[in-house]
Amino acid sequence: MKIRVAALVVFTALAVAAVGALATKGFNYALDFTGGTVVEVEFQKPMDVEGVRARLSAAGYDSPVVQTFGSGTDIVIRLQPPEVEGEAEGPVEATPSEQTGTAILQAAQTPDNPGRVIRSDFVGPQIGSELALNGVYAAIFVAIGFLAYIAIRFEYKFAIAAVTATLGDILLVCGWFALNQHEFDLTVLAGILSVMGFSINDKIVVFDRVRENFRLLSKLEPREVLNRSVNQTLSRTIITSFVAFLTILALYLYGGQSLKGMAESQMIGIVIGTLSSILVACPLLLLLGVTKQDLMPRARDDLEAELARRP
């Protein structure tokens, strides 16, 4: 709690920077949100990703996204809608996905390493917009659910502090993706929502200890109670976060390209969420003027008042 002012200033500055990055750069949306064509191809031998990307670019497909999944022989190719329309004969809606996939395969394969199309799907811009809107609805639903849960379990000051700190964590993760322009797809969105759950759980553990210490250490000032609570849960917070980080790191290193975005969002979120649980959540409580009266169980107070009124 001694460095609470500096911690709040740093986190506020990072949040402002994240808002600036989101406002100026925005997300680099993947085809899940923008629409386009996704083709999965299986080659007879491992294929060089950069070579596939170069051949597609030479064939007229602008900025193709080429990734491996599973093994080196399996390639996933993503193309933006305008480029697909430029290659197809007539409207995209009138072109079967198999025919589009065949054209992409012919441009990607080499004579000594032929392949076959496993899957070819087209995602229209309208579907991408619906997915983006559903993602926003999911984030709002989760935030409201957390707010209601903490408000019922604790008091409104705890709910405000926990949700504010958690939304700050999510804002910093989103700012990270806006700043480095890494691809933002549905797996990244899923990772961000999981970070929200991890972060709020971490803060609930700290707040549980705060509530317990307010009852046991009723003679101490709120600042000292909060400080002891953070110190008592510090080892648990760090160990839990470290183990979770190692698990996500393994997913990031060995889970393949398709899961890298989700793992990246979770790793960044775990680090930020752990720091905010230690340095931000309790200082926010102190700013809100929390006291032991805010944590006394209302049911017990009502029972004692009822017993006092009885003859």
Side-chain angles (χ1 to χ4, degrees), residues 116-140:
R116 66 182 183 91
V117 177
I118 301 176
R119 179 175 67 94
S120 180
D121 295 326
F122 175 76
V123 180
Q126 180 63 31
I127 297 177
S129 300
E130 292 177 359
L131 289 174
L133 188 60
N134 290 337
V136 173
Y137 287 156
I140 294 175

Side-chain angles (χ1 to χ4, degrees), residues 9-62:
V9 169
V10 170
F11 269 81
T12 302
L14 291 176
V16 172
V19 172
L22 290 170
T24 56
K25 293 187 174 184
F27 290 125
N28 178 23
Y29 289 108
L31 299 183
D32 296 338
F33 298 114
T34 62
T37 297
V38 180
V39 179
E40 293 180 4
V41 180
E42 182 183 17
F43 294 97
Q44 293 183 357
K45 297 181 293 184
M47 179 65 75
D48 178 48
V49 172
E50 292 299 327
V52 174
R53 187 180 294 112
R55 285 189 291 274
L56 290 172
S57 299
Y61 296 97
D62 187 30

Side-chain angles (χ1 to χ4, degrees), residues 267-305:
M267 288 192 300
I268 299 297
I270 287 174
V271 174
I272 295 175
T274 302
L275 292 176
S276 68
S277 298
I278 298 172
L279 302 172
V280 175
C282 284
L284 284 177
L285 273 180
L286 195 61
L287 286 178
L288 293 173
V290 67
T291 62
K292 65 179 181 179
Q293 284 75 20
D294 296 320
L295 296 157
M296 297 302 292
R298 290 177 176 173
R300 184 180 302 174
D301 291 343
D302 295 341
L303 178 60
E304 292 177 354

Side-chain angles (χ1 to χ4, degrees), residues 32-105:
D32 296 338
F33 298 114
T34 62
T37 297
V38 180
V39 179
E40 293 180 4
V41 180
E42 182 183 17
F43 294 97
Q44 293 183 357
K45 297 181 293 184
M47 179 65 75
D48 178 48
V49 172
E50 292 299 327
V52 174
R53 187 180 294 112
R55 285 189 291 274
L56 290 172
S57 299
Y61 296 97
D62 187 30
S63 301
V65 178
V66 182
Q67 300 170 335
T68 59
F69 71 99
S71 63
T73 59
D74 299 324
I75 300 292
V76 58
I77 301 171
R78 294 181 173 89
L79 302 172
Q80 299 291 341
E83 287 71 12
V84 176
E85 292 177 359
E87 290 296 317
E89 297 180 0
V92 174
E93 290 78 2
T95 304
S97 59
E98 292 82 4
Q99 184 176 351
T100 303
T102 301
I104 295 173
L105 173 62

Side-chain angles (χ1 to χ4, degrees), residues 2 29 70 81-82 117 121 138 192 201 225 229 233 255 286:
K2 185 191 301 183
Y29 289 108
V117 177
D121 295 326
I192 290 177
N201 177 74
V225 173
S229 301
T233 56
L286 195 61

